[in-house]
PDB file of all heavy atoms in Angstrom:
ATOM      1  N   LEU A   1       8.868   1.915 -21.325  1.00 97.00           N
ATOM      2  CA  LEU A   1      10.288   2.012 -21.019  1.00 97.00           C
ATOM      3  C   LEU A   1      11.102   2.248 -22.290  1.00 97.00           C
ATOM      4  O   LEU A   1      11.978   3.124 -22.330  1.00 97.00           O
ATOM      5  CB  LEU A   1      10.761   0.731 -20.320  1.00 97.00           C
ATOM      6  CG  LEU A   1      12.245   0.691 -19.930  1.00 97.00           C
ATOM      7  CD1 LEU A   1      12.486   1.569 -18.708  1.00 97.00           C
ATOM      8  CD2 LEU A   1      12.689  -0.740 -19.644  1.00 97.00           C
ATOM      9  N   CYS A   2      10.799   1.484 -23.324  1.00 96.00           N
ATOM     10  CA  CYS A   2      11.571   1.572 -24.568  1.00 96.00           C
ATOM     11  C   CYS A   2      11.236   2.832 -25.369  1.00 96.00           C
ATOM     12  O   CYS A   2      12.018   3.230 -26.239  1.00 96.00           O
ATOM     13  CB  CYS A   2      11.312   0.327 -25.423  1.00 96.00           C
ATOM     14  SG  CYS A   2      11.969  -1.202 -24.714  1.00 96.00           S
ATOM     15  N   ALA A   3      10.098   3.450 -25.077  1.00 96.00           N
ATOM     16  CA  ALA A   3       9.679   4.628 -25.849  1.00 96.00           C
ATOM     17  C   ALA A   3      10.249   5.926 -25.294  1.00 96.00           C
ATOM     18  O   ALA A   3      10.142   6.968 -25.952  1.00 96.00           O
ATOM     19  CB  ALA A   3       8.149   4.711 -25.871  1.00 96.00           C
ATOM     20  N   ASN A   4      10.860   5.887 -24.118  1.00 96.00           N
ATOM     21  CA  ASN A   4      11.331   7.121 -23.489  1.00 96.00           C
ATOM     22  C   ASN A   4      12.591   7.631 -24.180  1.00 96.00           C
ATOM     23  O   ASN A   4      13.541   6.874 -24.404  1.00 96.00           O
ATOM     24  CB  ASN A   4      11.597   6.892 -22.002  1.00 96.00           C
ATOM     25  CG  ASN A   4      11.705   8.193 -21.238  1.00 96.00           C
ATOM     26  OD1 ASN A   4      12.641   8.969 -21.416  1.00 96.00           O
ATOM     27  ND2 ASN A   4      10.734   8.436 -20.376  1.00 96.00           N
ATOM     28  N   ASP A   5      12.604   8.929 -24.489  1.00 95.00           N
ATOM     29  CA  ASP A   5      13.716   9.520 -25.241  1.00 95.00           C
ATOM     30  C   ASP A   5      14.887   9.930 -24.353  1.00 95.00           C
ATOM     31  O   ASP A   5      15.914  10.371 -24.848  1.00 95.00           O
ATOM     32  CB  ASP A   5      13.206  10.751 -26.010  1.00 95.00           C
ATOM     33  CG  ASP A   5      14.227  11.288 -26.988  1.00 95.00           C
ATOM     34  OD1 ASP A   5      14.745  10.500 -27.798  1.00 95.00           O
ATOM     35  OD2 ASP A   5      14.548  12.504 -26.911  1.00 95.00           O
ATOM     36  N   ALA A   6      14.759   9.765 -23.036  1.00 96.00           N
ATOM     37  CA  ALA A   6      15.834  10.197 -22.135  1.00 96.00           C
ATOM     38  C   ALA A   6      16.948   9.168 -22.036  1.00 96.00           C
ATOM     39  O   ALA A   6      18.019   9.460 -21.505  1.00 96.00           O
ATOM     40  CB  ALA A   6      15.275  10.489 -20.747  1.00 96.00           C
ATOM     41  N   TRP A   7      16.680   7.953 -22.529  1.00 97.00           N
ATOM     42  CA  TRP A   7      17.689   6.905 -22.408  1.00 97.00           C
ATOM     43  C   TRP A   7      17.639   5.949 -23.590  1.00 97.00           C
ATOM     44  O   TRP A   7      16.693   5.928 -24.385  1.00 97.00           O
ATOM     45  CB  TRP A   7      17.487   6.127 -21.114  1.00 97.00           C
ATOM     46  CG  TRP A   7      16.099   5.558 -20.919  1.00 97.00           C
ATOM     47  CD1 TRP A   7      15.479   4.571 -21.636  1.00 97.00           C
ATOM     48  CD2 TRP A   7      15.152   5.977 -19.919  1.00 97.00           C
ATOM     49  NE1 TRP A   7      14.223   4.328 -21.146  1.00 97.00           N
ATOM     50  CE2 TRP A   7      13.985   5.166 -20.097  1.00 97.00           C
ATOM     51  CE3 TRP A   7      15.164   6.915 -18.896  1.00 97.00           C
ATOM     52  CZ2 TRP A   7      12.857   5.306 -19.282  1.00 97.00           C
ATOM     53  CZ3 TRP A   7      14.046   7.049 -18.091  1.00 97.00           C
ATOM     54  CH2 TRP A   7      12.909   6.251 -18.287  1.00 97.00           C
ATOM     55  N   VAL A   8      18.679   5.145 -23.671  1.00 96.00           N
ATOM     56  CA  VAL A   8      18.741   4.034 -24.626  1.00 96.00           C
ATOM     57  C   VAL A   8      18.513   2.761 -23.828  1.00 96.00           C
ATOM     58  O   VAL A   8      19.198   2.511 -22.827  1.00 96.00           O
ATOM     59  CB  VAL A   8      20.103   3.977 -25.335  1.00 96.00           C
ATOM     60  CG1 VAL A   8      20.183   2.736 -26.218  1.00 96.00           C
ATOM     61  CG2 VAL A   8      20.333   5.229 -26.163  1.00 96.00           C
ATOM     62  N   ALA A   9      17.535   1.958 -24.226  1.00 95.00           N
ATOM     63  CA  ALA A   9      17.185   0.743 -23.497  1.00 95.00           C
ATOM     64  C   ALA A   9      17.757  -0.484 -24.211  1.00 95.00           C
ATOM     65  O   ALA A   9      17.539  -0.665 -25.418  1.00 95.00           O
ATOM     66  CB  ALA A   9      15.668   0.612 -23.372  1.00 95.00           C
ATOM     67  N   ARG A  10      18.493  -1.293 -23.458  1.00 94.00           N
ATOM     68  CA  ARG A  10      19.073  -2.522 -24.007  1.00 94.00           C
ATOM     69  C   ARG A  10      18.531  -3.703 -23.227  1.00 94.00           C
ATOM     70  O   ARG A  10      18.647  -3.763 -21.998  1.00 94.00           O
ATOM     71  CB  ARG A  10      20.591  -2.474 -23.872  1.00 94.00           C
ATOM     72  CG  ARG A  10      21.311  -3.655 -24.546  1.00 94.00           C
ATOM     73  CD  ARG A  10      22.778  -3.650 -24.154  1.00 94.00           C
ATOM     74  NE  ARG A  10      22.989  -4.174 -22.801  1.00 94.00           N
ATOM     75  CZ  ARG A  10      24.118  -4.016 -22.105  1.00 94.00           C
ATOM     76  NH1 ARG A  10      25.109  -3.315 -22.608  1.00 94.00           N
ATOM     77  NH2 ARG A  10      24.232  -4.539 -20.895  1.00 94.00           N
ATOM     78  N   LYS A  11      17.926  -4.647 -23.934  1.00 91.00           N
ATOM     79  CA  LYS A  11      17.379  -5.819 -23.263  1.00 91.00           C
ATOM     80  C   LYS A  11      18.514  -6.703 -22.769  1.00 91.00           C
ATOM     81  O   LYS A  11      19.413  -7.064 -23.530  1.00 91.00           O
ATOM     82  CB  LYS A  11      16.461  -6.600 -24.203  1.00 91.00           C
ATOM     83  CG  LYS A  11      15.719  -7.736 -23.540  1.00 91.00           C
ATOM     84  CD  LYS A  11      14.738  -8.405 -24.502  1.00 91.00           C
ATOM     85  CE  LYS A  11      13.532  -7.546 -24.778  1.00 91.00           C
ATOM     86  NZ  LYS A  11      12.497  -8.247 -25.574  1.00 91.00           N
ATOM     87  N   ASP A  12      18.444  -7.045 -21.478  1.00 82.00           N
ATOM     88  CA  ASP A  12      19.511  -7.821 -20.858  1.00 82.00           C
ATOM     89  C   ASP A  12      19.079  -9.248 -20.556  1.00 82.00           C
ATOM     90  O   ASP A  12      19.917 -10.146 -20.465  1.00 82.00           O
ATOM     91  CB  ASP A  12      19.944  -7.127 -19.563  1.00 82.00           C
ATOM     92  CG  ASP A  12      21.377  -7.438 -19.180  1.00 82.00           C
ATOM     93  OD1 ASP A  12      22.238  -7.422 -20.070  1.00 82.00           O
ATOM     94  OD2 ASP A  12      21.627  -7.695 -17.987  1.00 82.00           O
ATOM     95  N   LYS A  13      17.783  -9.450 -20.369  1.00 65.00           N
ATOM     96  CA  LYS A  13      17.248 -10.797 -20.097  1.00 65.00           C
ATOM     97  C   LYS A  13      15.775 -10.802 -20.459  1.00 65.00           C
ATOM     98  O   LYS A  13      15.036  -9.909 -20.064  1.00 65.00           O
ATOM     99  CB  LYS A  13      17.416 -11.163 -18.621  1.00 65.00           C
ATOM    100  CG  LYS A  13      16.836 -12.520 -18.230  1.00 65.00           C
ATOM    101  CD  LYS A  13      17.046 -12.789 -16.745  1.00 65.00           C
ATOM    102  CE  LYS A  13      16.339 -14.060 -16.291  1.00 65.00           C
ATOM    103  NZ  LYS A  13      16.847 -15.263 -16.933  1.00 65.00           N
ATOM    104  N   ASP A  14      15.358 -11.795 -21.236  1.00 58.00           N
ATOM    105  CA  ASP A  14      13.967 -11.888 -21.689  1.00 58.00           C
ATOM    106  C   ASP A  14      13.457 -13.300 -21.387  1.00 58.00           C
ATOM    107  O   ASP A  14      13.830 -14.267 -22.045  1.00 58.00           O
ATOM    108  CB  ASP A  14      13.887 -11.610 -23.187  1.00 58.00           C
ATOM    109  CG  ASP A  14      12.458 -11.542 -23.708  1.00 58.00           C
ATOM    110  OD1 ASP A  14      11.545 -12.034 -23.013  1.00 58.00           O
ATOM    111  OD2 ASP A  14      12.248 -10.995 -24.800  1.00 58.00           O
ATOM    112  N   TYR A  15      12.606 -13.406 -20.365  1.00 57.00           N
ATOM    113  CA  TYR A  15      12.156 -14.741 -19.955  1.00 57.00           C
ATOM    114  C   TYR A  15      11.291 -15.408 -21.019  1.00 57.00           C
ATOM    115  O   TYR A  15      11.278 -16.636 -21.144  1.00 57.00           O
ATOM    116  CB  TYR A  15      11.425 -14.686 -18.618  1.00 57.00           C
ATOM    117  CG  TYR A  15      10.099 -13.963 -18.603  1.00 57.00           C
ATOM    118  CD1 TYR A  15       8.920 -14.627 -18.900  1.00 57.00           C
ATOM    119  CD2 TYR A  15      10.022 -12.617 -18.261  1.00 57.00           C
ATOM    120  CE1 TYR A  15       7.701 -13.966 -18.881  1.00 57.00           C
ATOM    121  CE2 TYR A  15       8.802 -11.960 -18.237  1.00 57.00           C
ATOM    122  CZ  TYR A  15       7.651 -12.630 -18.550  1.00 57.00           C
ATOM    123  OH  TYR A  15       6.443 -11.979 -18.534  1.00 57.00           O
ATOM    124  N   GLU A  16      10.549 -14.606 -21.811  1.00 61.00           N
ATOM    125  CA  GLU A  16       9.728 -15.214 -22.864  1.00 61.00           C
ATOM    126  C   GLU A  16      10.608 -15.817 -23.952  1.00 61.00           C
ATOM    127  O   GLU A  16      10.306 -16.891 -24.480  1.00 61.00           O
ATOM    128  CB  GLU A  16       8.768 -14.179 -23.434  1.00 61.00           C
ATOM    129  CG  GLU A  16       7.656 -13.788 -22.456  1.00 61.00           C
ATOM    130  CD  GLU A  16       6.626 -12.877 -23.089  1.00 61.00           C
ATOM    131  OE1 GLU A  16       6.979 -12.161 -24.054  1.00 61.00           O
ATOM    132  OE2 GLU A  16       5.475 -12.880 -22.618  1.00 61.00           O
ATOM    133  N   ALA A  17      11.701 -15.128 -24.306  1.00 62.00           N
ATOM    134  CA  ALA A  17      12.626 -15.673 -25.304  1.00 62.00           C
ATOM    135  C   ALA A  17      13.312 -16.923 -24.774  1.00 62.00           C
ATOM    136  O   ALA A  17      13.496 -17.909 -25.499  1.00 62.00           O
ATOM    137  CB  ALA A  17      13.663 -14.614 -25.674  1.00 62.00           C
ATOM    138  N   GLU A  18      13.665 -16.905 -23.485  1.00 61.00           N
ATOM    139  CA  GLU A  18      14.297 -18.081 -22.883  1.00 61.00           C
ATOM    140  C   GLU A  18      13.331 -19.256 -22.830  1.00 61.00           C
ATOM    141  O   GLU A  18      13.728 -20.415 -23.012  1.00 61.00           O
ATOM    142  CB  GLU A  18      14.791 -17.735 -21.477  1.00 61.00           C
ATOM    143  CG  GLU A  18      15.945 -16.743 -21.458  1.00 61.00           C
ATOM    144  CD  GLU A  18      16.352 -16.349 -20.061  1.00 61.00           C
ATOM    145  OE1 GLU A  18      15.707 -16.811 -19.103  1.00 61.00           O
ATOM    146  OE2 GLU A  18      17.328 -15.580 -19.919  1.00 61.00           O
ATOM    147  N   ARG A  19      12.066 -18.949 -22.611  1.00 59.00           N
ATOM    148  CA  ARG A  19      11.051 -20.003 -22.577  1.00 59.00           C
ATOM    149  C   ARG A  19      10.905 -20.659 -23.952  1.00 59.00           C
ATOM    150  O   ARG A  19      10.743 -21.878 -24.057  1.00 59.00           O
ATOM    151  CB  ARG A  19       9.720 -19.411 -22.130  1.00 59.00           C
ATOM    152  CG  ARG A  19       8.623 -20.425 -21.906  1.00 59.00           C
ATOM    153  CD  ARG A  19       7.288 -19.739 -21.669  1.00 59.00           C
ATOM    154  NE  ARG A  19       7.346 -18.825 -20.529  1.00 59.00           N
ATOM    155  CZ  ARG A  19       6.344 -18.026 -20.171  1.00 59.00           C
ATOM    156  NH1 ARG A  19       5.229 -18.004 -20.883  1.00 59.00           N
ATOM    157  NH2 ARG A  19       6.467 -17.237 -19.124  1.00 59.00           N
ATOM    158  N   GLU A  20      10.960 -19.834 -24.988  1.00 62.00           N
ATOM    159  CA  GLU A  20      10.851 -20.376 -26.350  1.00 62.00           C
ATOM    160  C   GLU A  20      12.093 -21.186 -26.710  1.00 62.00           C
ATOM    161  O   GLU A  20      12.003 -22.209 -27.398  1.00 62.00           O
ATOM    162  CB  GLU A  20      10.660 -19.234 -27.349  1.00 62.00           C
ATOM    163  CG  GLU A  20       9.304 -18.547 -27.253  1.00 62.00           C
ATOM    164  CD  GLU A  20       9.149 -17.447 -28.280  1.00 62.00           C
ATOM    165  OE1 GLU A  20      10.058 -17.298 -29.133  1.00 62.00           O
ATOM    166  OE2 GLU A  20       8.126 -16.737 -28.242  1.00 62.00           O
ATOM    167  N   ALA A  21      13.270 -20.729 -26.259  1.00 58.00           N
ATOM    168  CA  ALA A  21      14.505 -21.435 -26.585  1.00 58.00           C
ATOM    169  C   ALA A  21      14.608 -22.758 -25.839  1.00 58.00           C
ATOM    170  O   ALA A  21      15.131 -23.742 -26.374  1.00 58.00           O
ATOM    171  CB  ALA A  21      15.705 -20.556 -26.253  1.00 58.00           C
ATOM    172  N   LYS A  22      14.107 -22.793 -24.583  1.00 59.00           N
ATOM    173  CA  LYS A  22      14.161 -24.010 -23.765  1.00 59.00           C
ATOM    174  C   LYS A  22      12.789 -24.273 -23.143  1.00 59.00           C
ATOM    175  O   LYS A  22      12.572 -24.044 -21.951  1.00 59.00           O
ATOM    176  CB  LYS A  22      15.222 -23.874 -22.673  1.00 59.00           C
ATOM    177  CG  LYS A  22      16.636 -23.712 -23.200  1.00 59.00           C
ATOM    178  CD  LYS A  22      17.636 -23.599 -22.051  1.00 59.00           C
ATOM    179  CE  LYS A  22      19.058 -23.471 -22.563  1.00 59.00           C
ATOM    180  NZ  LYS A  22      20.036 -23.355 -21.447  1.00 59.00           N
ATOM    181  N   PRO A  23      11.846 -24.750 -23.950  1.00 53.00           N
ATOM    182  CA  PRO A  23      10.481 -24.927 -23.447  1.00 53.00           C
ATOM    183  C   PRO A  23      10.350 -25.972 -22.359  1.00 53.00           C
ATOM    184  O   PRO A  23       9.331 -26.009 -21.666  1.00 53.00           O
ATOM    185  CB  PRO A  23       9.702 -25.335 -24.709  1.00 53.00           C
ATOM    186  CG  PRO A  23      10.727 -25.907 -25.633  1.00 53.00           C
ATOM    187  CD  PRO A  23      11.980 -25.138 -25.372  1.00 53.00           C
ATOM    188  N   TRP A  24      11.346 -26.805 -22.180  1.00 45.00           N
ATOM    189  CA  TRP A  24      11.286 -27.862 -21.158  1.00 45.00           C
ATOM    190  C   TRP A  24      11.838 -27.391 -19.800  1.00 45.00           C
ATOM    191  O   TRP A  24      11.783 -28.128 -18.822  1.00 45.00           O
ATOM    192  CB  TRP A  24      12.111 -29.075 -21.625  1.00 45.00           C
ATOM    193  CG  TRP A  24      13.533 -28.706 -21.934  1.00 45.00           C
ATOM    194  CD1 TRP A  24      14.589 -28.630 -21.059  1.00 45.00           C
ATOM    195  CD2 TRP A  24      14.061 -28.315 -23.194  1.00 45.00           C
ATOM    196  NE1 TRP A  24      15.721 -28.224 -21.687  1.00 45.00           N
ATOM    197  CE2 TRP A  24      15.439 -28.024 -23.011  1.00 45.00           C
ATOM    198  CE3 TRP A  24      13.521 -28.190 -24.478  1.00 45.00           C
ATOM    199  CZ2 TRP A  24      16.264 -27.615 -24.056  1.00 45.00           C
ATOM    200  CZ3 TRP A  24      14.345 -27.778 -25.509  1.00 45.00           C
ATOM    201  CH2 TRP A  24      15.689 -27.498 -25.304  1.00 45.00           C
ATOM    202  N   THR A  25      12.344 -26.166 -19.745  1.00 54.00           N
ATOM    203  CA  THR A  25      12.989 -25.669 -18.535  1.00 54.00           C
ATOM    204  C   THR A  25      12.096 -24.671 -17.806  1.00 54.00           C
ATOM    205  O   THR A  25      11.515 -23.775 -18.420  1.00 54.00           O
ATOM    206  CB  THR A  25      14.327 -24.988 -18.882  1.00 54.00           C
ATOM    207  OG1 THR A  25      15.182 -25.925 -19.536  1.00 54.00           O
ATOM    208  CG2 THR A  25      15.015 -24.471 -17.623  1.00 54.00           C
ATOM    209  N   PHE A  26      11.996 -24.823 -16.493  1.00 49.00           N
ATOM    210  CA  PHE A  26      11.257 -23.877 -15.664  1.00 49.00           C
ATOM    211  C   PHE A  26      12.243 -23.295 -14.646  1.00 49.00           C
ATOM    212  O   PHE A  26      12.663 -23.989 -13.718  1.00 49.00           O
ATOM    213  CB  PHE A  26      10.095 -24.565 -14.946  1.00 49.00           C
ATOM    214  CG  PHE A  26       9.044 -25.082 -15.882  1.00 49.00           C
ATOM    215  CD1 PHE A  26       9.103 -26.376 -16.372  1.00 49.00           C
ATOM    216  CD2 PHE A  26       7.992 -24.269 -16.283  1.00 49.00           C
ATOM    217  CE1 PHE A  26       8.143 -26.855 -17.238  1.00 49.00           C
ATOM    218  CE2 PHE A  26       7.027 -24.739 -17.155  1.00 49.00           C
ATOM    219  CZ  PHE A  26       7.092 -26.028 -17.636  1.00 49.00           C
ATOM    220  N   THR A  27      12.601 -22.028 -14.858  1.00 54.00           N
ATOM    221  CA  THR A  27      13.604 -21.413 -13.999  1.00 54.00           C
ATOM    222  C   THR A  27      13.246 -19.958 -13.749  1.00 54.00           C
ATOM    223  O   THR A  27      12.177 -19.489 -14.153  1.00 54.00           O
ATOM    224  CB  THR A  27      15.000 -21.544 -14.644  1.00 54.00           C
ATOM    225  OG1 THR A  27      15.986 -21.071 -13.725  1.00 54.00           O
ATOM    226  CG2 THR A  27      15.094 -20.759 -15.937  1.00 54.00           C
ATOM    227  N   TYR A  28      14.140 -19.249 -13.075  1.00 55.00           N
ATOM    228  CA  TYR A  28      13.932 -17.849 -12.709  1.00 55.00           C
ATOM    229  C   TYR A  28      13.443 -17.032 -13.901  1.00 55.00           C
ATOM    230  O   TYR A  28      14.035 -17.087 -14.973  1.00 55.00           O
ATOM    231  CB  TYR A  28      15.252 -17.296 -12.169  1.00 55.00           C
ATOM    232  CG  TYR A  28      15.324 -15.794 -12.045  1.00 55.00           C
ATOM    233  CD1 TYR A  28      14.650 -15.130 -11.026  1.00 55.00           C
ATOM    234  CD2 TYR A  28      16.077 -15.062 -12.945  1.00 55.00           C
ATOM    235  CE1 TYR A  28      14.722 -13.752 -10.906  1.00 55.00           C
ATOM    236  CE2 TYR A  28      16.166 -13.679 -12.824  1.00 55.00           C
ATOM    237  CZ  TYR A  28      15.488 -13.034 -11.812  1.00 55.00           C
ATOM    238  OH  TYR A  28      15.563 -11.675 -11.693  1.00 55.00           O
ATOM    239  N   GLN A  29      12.388 -16.266 -13.696  1.00 63.00           N
ATOM    240  CA  GLN A  29      11.812 -15.475 -14.767  1.00 63.00           C
ATOM    241  C   GLN A  29      11.735 -13.999 -14.371  1.00 63.00           C
ATOM    242  O   GLN A  29      11.221 -13.655 -13.306  1.00 63.00           O
ATOM    243  CB  GLN A  29      10.409 -15.964 -15.119  1.00 63.00           C
ATOM    244  CG  GLN A  29      10.392 -17.347 -15.741  1.00 63.00           C
ATOM    245  CD  GLN A  29       9.018 -17.713 -16.284  1.00 63.00           C
ATOM    246  OE1 GLN A  29       8.046 -17.006 -16.086  1.00 63.00           O
ATOM    247  NE2 GLN A  29       8.941 -18.824 -16.983  1.00 63.00           N
ATOM    248  N   SER A  30      12.245 -13.144 -15.242  1.00 73.00           N
ATOM    249  CA  SER A  30      12.133 -11.706 -15.066  1.00 73.00           C
ATOM    250  C   SER A  30      12.614 -11.068 -16.359  1.00 73.00           C
ATOM    251  O   SER A  30      13.522 -11.593 -17.020  1.00 73.00           O
ATOM    252  CB  SER A  30      12.985 -11.232 -13.885  1.00 73.00           C
ATOM    253  OG  SER A  30      12.748  -9.872 -13.607  1.00 73.00           O
ATOM    254  N   LEU A  31      12.004  -9.970 -16.735  1.00 86.00           N
ATOM    255  CA  LEU A  31      12.426  -9.218 -17.914  1.00 86.00           C
ATOM    256  C   LEU A  31      13.386  -8.132 -17.436  1.00 86.00           C
ATOM    257  O   LEU A  31      13.022  -7.301 -16.598  1.00 86.00           O
ATOM    258  CB  LEU A  31      11.209  -8.605 -18.610  1.00 86.00           C
ATOM    259  CG  LEU A  31      11.464  -7.812 -19.893  1.00 86.00           C
ATOM    260  CD1 LEU A  31      12.079  -8.696 -20.967  1.00 86.00           C
ATOM    261  CD2 LEU A  31      10.164  -7.200 -20.395  1.00 86.00           C
ATOM    262  N   HIS A  32      14.612  -8.150 -17.956  1.00 90.00           N
ATOM    263  CA  HIS A  32      15.634  -7.203 -17.523  1.00 90.00           C
ATOM    264  C   HIS A  32      16.025  -6.286 -18.688  1.00 90.00           C
ATOM    265  O   HIS A  32      16.243  -6.749 -19.805  1.00 90.00           O
ATOM    266  CB  HIS A  32      16.901  -7.928 -17.054  1.00 90.00           C
ATOM    267  CG  HIS A  32      16.750  -8.650 -15.767  1.00 90.00           C
ATOM    268  ND1 HIS A  32      17.818  -9.029 -14.982  1.00 90.00           N
ATOM    269  CD2 HIS A  32      15.649  -9.058 -15.085  1.00 90.00           C
ATOM    270  CE1 HIS A  32      17.393  -9.650 -13.897  1.00 90.00           C
ATOM    271  NE2 HIS A  32      16.076  -9.698 -13.952  1.00 90.00           N
ATOM    272  N   TYR A  33      16.145  -5.000 -18.386  1.00 94.00           N
ATOM    273  CA  TYR A  33      16.698  -4.020 -19.318  1.00 94.00           C
ATOM    274  C   TYR A  33      17.792  -3.238 -18.603  1.00 94.00           C
ATOM    275  O   TYR A  33      17.759  -3.069 -17.380  1.00 94.00           O
ATOM    276  CB  TYR A  33      15.629  -3.039 -19.795  1.00 94.00           C
ATOM    277  CG  TYR A  33      14.840  -3.480 -21.003  1.00 94.00           C
ATOM    278  CD1 TYR A  33      13.711  -4.289 -20.854  1.00 94.00           C
ATOM    279  CD2 TYR A  33      15.218  -3.109 -22.290  1.00 94.00           C
ATOM    280  CE1 TYR A  33      12.979  -4.694 -21.958  1.00 94.00           C
ATOM    281  CE2 TYR A  33      14.489  -3.514 -23.398  1.00 94.00           C
ATOM    282  CZ  TYR A  33      13.376  -4.296 -23.232  1.00 94.00           C
ATOM    283  OH  TYR A  33      12.654  -4.700 -24.336  1.00 94.00           O
ATOM    284  N   ILE A  34      18.731  -2.742 -19.372  1.00 95.00           N
ATOM    285  CA  ILE A  34      19.665  -1.733 -18.896  1.00 95.00           C
ATOM    286  C   ILE A  34      19.364  -0.461 -19.681  1.00 95.00           C
ATOM    287  O   ILE A  34      19.326  -0.493 -20.922  1.00 95.00           O
ATOM    288  CB  ILE A  34      21.141  -2.129 -19.106  1.00 95.00           C
ATOM    289  CG1 ILE A  34      21.418  -3.512 -18.520  1.00 95.00           C
ATOM    290  CG2 ILE A  34      22.068  -1.077 -18.498  1.00 95.00           C
ATOM    291  CD1 ILE A  34      21.255  -3.592 -17.021  1.00 95.00           C
ATOM    292  N   VAL A  35      19.111   0.638 -18.967  1.00 96.00           N
ATOM    293  CA  VAL A  35      18.850   1.900 -19.654  1.00 96.00           C
ATOM    294  C   VAL A  35      20.030   2.837 -19.393  1.00 96.00           C
ATOM    295  O   VAL A  35      20.458   3.018 -18.252  1.00 96.00           O
ATOM    296  CB  VAL A  35      17.516   2.538 -19.219  1.00 96.00           C
ATOM    297  CG1 VAL A  35      16.353   1.626 -19.597  1.00 96.00           C
ATOM    298  CG2 VAL A  35      17.466   2.833 -17.734  1.00 96.00           C
ATOM    299  N   PHE A  36      20.566   3.413 -20.480  1.00 97.00           N
ATOM    300  CA  PHE A  36      21.709   4.305 -20.412  1.00 97.00           C
ATOM    301  C   PHE A  36      21.260   5.722 -20.746  1.00 97.00           C
ATOM    302  O   PHE A  36      20.590   5.943 -21.769  1.00 97.00           O
ATOM    303  CB  PHE A  36      22.787   3.876 -21.418  1.00 97.00           C
ATOM    304  CG  PHE A  36      23.330   2.488 -21.195  1.00 97.00           C
ATOM    305  CD1 PHE A  36      22.697   1.389 -21.757  1.00 97.00           C
ATOM    306  CD2 PHE A  36      24.461   2.280 -20.432  1.00 97.00           C
ATOM    307  CE1 PHE A  36      23.194   0.104 -21.568  1.00 97.00           C
ATOM    308  CE2 PHE A  36      24.964   0.994 -20.231  1.00 97.00           C
ATOM    309  CZ  PHE A  36      24.338  -0.094 -20.793  1.00 97.00           C
ATOM    310  N   ALA A  37      21.626   6.682 -19.905  1.00 97.00           N
ATOM    311  CA  ALA A  37      21.245   8.076 -20.148  1.00 97.00           C
ATOM    312  C   ALA A  37      21.785   8.534 -21.496  1.00 97.00           C
ATOM    313  O   ALA A  37      22.971   8.371 -21.792  1.00 97.00           O
ATOM    314  CB  ALA A  37      21.786   8.962 -19.031  1.00 97.00           C
ATOM    315  N   LYS A  38      20.903   9.109 -22.333  1.00 96.00           N
ATOM    316  CA  LYS A  38      21.329   9.584 -23.639  1.00 96.00           C
ATOM    317  C   LYS A  38      22.220  10.822 -23.536  1.00 96.00           C
ATOM    318  O   LYS A  38      23.095  11.051 -24.361  1.00 96.00           O
ATOM    319  CB  LYS A  38      20.103   9.930 -24.500  1.00 96.00           C
ATOM    320  CG  LYS A  38      19.522   8.781 -25.273  1.00 96.00           C
ATOM    321  CD  LYS A  38      18.467   9.303 -26.239  1.00 96.00           C
ATOM    322  CE  LYS A  38      17.896   8.169 -27.069  1.00 96.00           C
ATOM    323  NZ  LYS A  38      16.873   8.663 -28.025  1.00 96.00           N
ATOM    324  N   ARG A  39      21.922  11.621 -22.541  1.00 95.00           N
ATOM    325  CA  ARG A  39      22.616  12.890 -22.351  1.00 95.00           C
ATOM    326  C   ARG A  39      22.672  13.187 -20.852  1.00 95.00           C
ATOM    327  O   ARG A  39      22.048  12.480 -20.067  1.00 95.00           O
ATOM    328  CB  ARG A  39      21.871  14.013 -23.089  1.00 95.00           C
ATOM    329  CG  ARG A  39      20.440  14.175 -22.609  1.00 95.00           C
ATOM    330  CD  ARG A  39      19.638  15.102 -23.508  1.00 95.00           C
ATOM    331  NE  ARG A  39      19.280  14.427 -24.750  1.00 95.00           N
ATOM    332  CZ  ARG A  39      18.192  13.641 -24.886  1.00 95.00           C
ATOM    333  NH1 ARG A  39      17.387  13.428 -23.853  1.00 95.00           N
ATOM    334  NH2 ARG A  39      17.933  13.075 -26.039  1.00 95.00           N
TER     335      ARG A  39
END
């Protein structure tokens, strides 16, 4: 997804980062990106 040249990918939610920040919390998990058309 991040390697595609047709868009710019911005990470919107990272469950692994959230897990590291709050290791005691178990909640909704999903990796979210927003991709914007470059042209």
Side-chain angles (χ1 to χ4, degrees):
L1 180 75
C2 292
N4 196 292
D5 189 52
W7 54 67
V8 175
R10 186 190 77 195
K11 187 175 287 187
D12 206 44
K13 177 180 173 63
D14 186 342
Y15 67 88
E16 290 186 334
E18 292 176 358
R19 186 189 302 175
E20 290 181 6
K22 297 181 179 180
W24 56 86
T25 301
F26 295 91
T27 186
Y28 166 74
Q29 293 189 353
S30 187
L31 182 61
H32 289 199
Y33 273 86
I34 308 296
V35 297
F36 300 87
K38 273 189 178 180
R39 59 190 75 85

